Amino acid sequence: MKIIFATRNENKVREVNQILGERIQLLSLQSINSTEEIPETQLTIKGNALQKAQYIHDNYGVDCFAEDSGLEVDALDGAPGVHTAYYAGPERDADANMQKTLNGLAGKTNRDAQFRTVVALILKGKAYTFEGIARGTIAMQKMGEQGFGYDPIFVPDGETRSFAQMSAQEKNAISHRSKAIQQLKAFFDDYEDLG
């Protein structure tokens, strides 16, 4: 089966490809000549995922899925949440985002957090959503060189290493995105008419 993954983030494409396996072939937005910025104006992670998938479906007439992820830090009242990608500004600078998060936690003892991913699939005109959550804590400083985004400061429950200190396989076994994509994969495996 071929399906559009509505993202321009090559890191996410690589990660999702590893999880989905060979039965599903991901096609890029470039394959449908989509170069415009896809709107993300909703107030929730789920809302943004649905908005992106619906936008591509409505404007290009293709089955597709989109995902939106957010880091929710307990002591920051759930921030950065839906604003995760541009927490420190519109530049979407990962280092600045991490530094703002670490600065916000200065002097706080509660460093509990979670990553949340919602995958929204539009298939044959019908919408489906799948959610994955990874609980953990925010490290005192950046650790590791792997991954992307906030991976160097997020330590998943049961680990002493950050996501950025793990191999792609290790991260994919426990990450929020992996949990949501595994549900998507199970949906595809069960779906009768993938034609």
Side-chain angles (χ1 to χ4, degrees), residues 103-119:
N103 290 348
L105 288 175
K108 298 189 189 307
T109 54
N110 177 6
R111 301 183 79 82
D112 293 344
Q114 67 181 21
F115 265 124
R116 177 192 309 272
T117 291
V118 176
V119 171

Side-chain angles (χ1 to χ4, degrees), residues 98 115 143 146-154 162-164 171:
M98 285 187 282
F115 265 124
M143 306 185 304
Q146 305 299 316
F148 59 96
Y150 292 76
D151 285 356
I153 64 170
F154 185 80
S162 74
F163 272 160
K171 179 186 173 187

Side-chain angles (χ1 to χ4, degrees), residues 6-20:
T7 185
R8 288 192 174 75
N9 185 325
E10 290 304 316
N11 292 310
K12 289 182 179 181
V13 172
R14 210 169 11 260
E15 192 171 282
V16 170
N17 252 327
Q18 290 171 344
I19 298 164
L20 280 181

Side-chain angles (χ1 to χ4, degrees), residues 70-100:
L71 176 65
E72 300 168 335
V73 181
D74 292 4
L76 300 179
D77 298 321
V82 74
H83 306 293
T84 293
Y86 47 90
Y87 190 42
E91 304 80 18
R92 297 177 178 232
D93 182 294
D95 287 322
N97 288 338
M98 285 187 282
Q99 196 56 56
K100 182 173 180 178

